[in-house]
Amino acid sequence: PSQVGNSGKYLTTNGTDPSWGTVVGGSPFTTVRKTGVDQGAASTSFTNSVNQMDFTLASSTNYVFEYWIRYQTALATTGLVLGIQTAQTPVGLWMDWSSALAATGTKVGGAAIGSNTTISIASGNIANGAVQLAYLTGMIMGGGTGGTMALRWCSEVSGSLCTIKTGSMGRIMSIT
């Protein structure tokens, strides 16, 4: 063609015949979110959801997800705890994450997790007050009901402030 089309349609197939599907509210495959405010907590209670980072999950659908989390801790000896909570019972949920670690930093937890279970990086800040980047990635195999997936976080050390910074981003993509 002489130019790129802008019909708002995408090519799909039922297994034999291709057809044009209509995109409603953005891409049918990828959703992206970005935080608009800093969020701080000094609690080790795993009850904080990162604002603006919830994703809706369809029933019986598989997803891959990524988060780029800008964070700051009050002390170099305080790490950030991240995890995923789902409002459905997933068939499977796996994730891993990394950050620029101090020499004493250690990863705690496993790669295969259940809903509301954490993977943390202990003593994971390089310097007091420096903003760090954590990268979290994973996949979820959806169960028989839909629901919401939330990125949860807390401080590794009680009374030591951890802040999720403005501009953190997340992306989820359905795999059909």
Side-chain angles (χ1 to χ4, degrees):
S2 61
Q3 66 183 28
V4 176
N6 61 357
S7 67
K9 307 245 182 209
Y10 63 96
L11 190 59
T12 185
T13 180
N14 62 9
T16 56
D17 299 317
S19 62
W20 289 104
T22 302
V23 177
V24 179
S27 168
F29 309 110
T30 303
T31 304
V32 179
R33 303 263 192 270
K34 183 174 103 173
T35 59
V37 296
D38 286 357
Q39 291 177 252
S43 169
T44 57
S45 176
F46 191 60
T47 57
N48 304 301
S49 288
V50 178
N51 289 340
Q52 300 163 316
M53 289 288 191
D54 290 358
F55 292 102
T56 301
L57 305 177
S59 64
S60 303
T61 302
N62 299 328
Y63 296 90
V64 292
F65 57 87
E66 296 177 290
Y67 291 97
W68 296 267
I69 304 299
R70 298 178 64 240
Y71 72 98
Q72 187 174 31
T73 63
L75 302 170
T77 55
T78 299
L80 177 69
V81 179
L82 290 174
I84 298 294
Q85 180 185 32
T86 62
Q88 66 172 204
T89 304
V91 174
L93 173 61
W94 300 269
M95 73 172 194
D96 199 6
W97 72 286
S98 60
S99 180
L101 292 176
T104 58
T106 55
K107 188 179 292 186
V108 179
I113 64 168
S115 179
N116 217 21
T117 303
T118 67
I119 291 181
S120 67
I121 292 183
S123 304
N125 198 5
I126 291 175
N128 298 353
V131 175
Q132 305 298 320
L133 179 68
Y135 173 72
L136 182 144
T137 186
M139 68 176 281
I140 184 168
M141 296 172 64
T145 60
T148 302
M149 183 177 91
L151 177 63
R152 306 279 267 184
W153 67 282
C154 66
S155 176
E156 176 214 10
V157 178
S158 182
S160 187
L161 182 66
C162 281
T163 304
I164 303 293
K165 303 297 285 180
T166 300
S168 295
M169 295 181 229
R171 174 173 60 181
I172 191 167
M173 186 171 19
S174 64
I175 307 296
T176 55

